[in-house]
Structures are given as structure tokens and as C-alpha cells.
Amino acid sequence: DVVMTQSPLSLPVTLGQPASISCRSSQGLEHSDGNTYLAWVQQRPGLSPRRLIYRVSNRDSGVPDRFSGSGSGADFTLKISRVEAEDVGVYYCIQGSYWPITFGQGTRLEIK
Amino acid sequence: EVKLLQSGGGLVQPGGSLRLSCAASGFAFTSHAFIWVRQPPGEGLQWVSLINGDGDGTYYADSVKGRFTASRDNFRNTLYLQMNSLRVDDTAIYYCANVVGTGVWGQGTTVTVSS
């Protein structure tokens, strides 16, 4: 199975400051169809998870443009340009290029 | 509206069984693979099972292999997770999701295994 490794696991951030989460996979995630199935999911406290980004850098409908995804191969990043209070929660990277789908350990974002 | 509506779950004794359901609406159900994910109290998300679009391909986490069975009814646009031989450490909120395609997640359903 593809191993997904996130860092940091805990991310204290001051309101209005940027934040960045890294996700590395144990092998490159480019699928044979040419797509890279790497997604980012947010779970706010007490709520169901919500996908923010799909195929590395595409924002889902309704996701604020302060969220952006980038990367290629086996190295990916989720960036928040200016953290807001509603961004508190746990962020997971998920790969879907190789079955079974696998998750990172999660990064807990908190406000300093 | 793209939606996954979950049902089932509840309190069951160790060794018991439960079946979870996940009804899809608003998108082409048969085109998509789905996953089941769980979240034990105070912990992160754990992948449980994956089922392909036709329902003839399934994968399971080692912790549930041989006890859980994922299936789907492509006429009813519904997923199922049959959970047998339940253990205390299966206690969790269970989610169904279409992570790669639509990105939609179910609202979650609580399974509590306790005597």
C-alpha cells in the first residue's frame, strides 16, 4: 500500500498568518491515465470531513480561495494564505491513484 | 444536490452484527468507487473498506478483514457495510465517502460496541 506521510502533525498558527502542510507519498502518484489523484480533506471539530482540493490543485465548490494545493510526483503541499478561526480542525491528504486509497495521519491546525 | 445519506448504526454487544447503509443521490452512482472510513472517539480517520463501481472489487483494512463486508445495490444507489463479530475497538463514527470523484461524504453514523 502507498504510505502517506504528513508534516507537521500539529500546526499552531496566528490568525491572519499563512500555514502550510506537507504530504509525501511512498511512490509517485501519477496514474496511468495521466491524472494525479491526490486530495486534501478538512475535518472541523464535531463535523463530517469535507474535501477541499482534488487532483492536487483543484478547489472544490465553495472552498475559499485562501486554500491552495500544489505539488507533483510524491511531494504535495496544502497552503492557507491567511488563517481564519473557521480553519481550525484536522487536515488529511488522501491518495486515490493506487488502490487501496490511503490517508495521511492528519495535521491538527490550531490558533495560537 | 450531491448527497450521501447514512443510516444504521447503534449500540451492539461484542460479537454482534450491524449493517450500515449509505444512500446516494444527485450524481451517477454506478460510475464511482466508494470508501468506508471510521473515526474512533478522540482519534483520526481510519480507512475501513473500498468498493469499486461494479461492486465486484473490494478491499479491507487488516483490522476488519474477514468480519466486514462491503456491497452495493446499483439499482437502489445504495452502499452497505455488513459488520459481523463486532469488537469493542470497532466503536467509532463510520462515514461513507466518494473521495476521488464527487468528494461527497456522508453525515456519519455512530457504532458503539459495548456489553
Side-chain angles (χ1 to χ4, degrees):
Chain A
D1 296 359
V2 176
V3 177
M4 306 295 287
T5 303
Q6 289 182 228
S7 63
L9 300 185
S10 179
L11 184 55
V13 184
T14 302
L15 285 173
Q17 293 300 301
S20 179
I21 302 170
S22 170
C23 176
R24 290 192 166 92
S25 54
S26 59
Q27 63 188 79
L29 295 184
E30 185 168 342
H31 192 271
S32 56
D33 67 4
N35 290 307
T36 298
Y37 295 100
L38 186 284
W40 290 94
V41 163
Q42 174 198 57
Q43 188 176 29
R44 292 171 174 158
L47 298 180
S48 294
R50 164 201 185 195
R51 194 179 69 180
L52 300 175
I53 302 286
Y54 63 97
R55 276 188 268 126
V56 181
S57 59
N58 298 276
R59 265 192 308 276
D60 274 283
S61 176
V63 174
D65 61 6
R66 64 179 182 275
F67 289 93
S68 64
S70 63
S72 64
D75 196 353
F76 304 93
T77 302
L78 175 71
K79 291 184 178 174
I80 309 173
S81 58
R82 294 173 308 279
V83 169
E84 298 188 5
E86 67 179 19
D87 300 335
V88 165
V90 182
Y91 293 79
Y92 298 86
C93 59
I94 304 174
Q95 72 81 23
S97 294
Y98 297 97
W99 285 12
I101 292 172
T102 48
F103 287 60
Q105 317 96 300
T107 295
R108 185 174 300 276
L109 186 149
E110 62 181 37
I111 304 300
K112 270 188 201 172
Chain B
E1 182 190 4
V2 173
K3 203 168 181 180
L4 293 175
L5 184 62
Q6 296 184 234
S7 59
L11 174 63
V12 63
Q13 292 190 338
S17 297
L18 276 176
R19 188 176 83 157
L20 306 183
S21 299
C22 174
S25 58
F27 63 102
F29 179 76
T30 56
S31 301
H32 294 280
F34 290 85
I35 61 173
W36 288 94
V37 174
R38 68 186 181 185
Q39 186 167 35
E43 297 186 28
L45 300 177
Q46 298 175 357
W47 170 76
V48 171
S49 176
L50 164 69
I51 185 166
N52 69 357
D54 293 330
D56 58 0
T58 51
Y59 291 81
Y60 300 95
D62 287 344
S63 58
V64 306
K65 206 172 290 185
R67 301 187 299 122
F68 290 13
T69 302
S71 61
R72 60 192 294 162
D73 183 335
N74 283 348
F75 292 102
R76 291 188 168 85
N77 287 359
T78 302
L79 303 169
Y80 303 100
L81 185 67
Q82 178 67 42
M83 304 185 295
N84 297 332
S85 302
L86 282 162
R87 309 189 301 220
V88 171
D89 63 358
D90 293 319
T91 295
I93 299 173
Y94 285 73
Y95 298 98
C96 55
N98 173 227
V99 174
V100 175
T102 63
V104 64
W105 288 69
Q107 82 279 18
T109 189
T110 299
V111 172
T112 303
V113 185
S114 175
S115 53

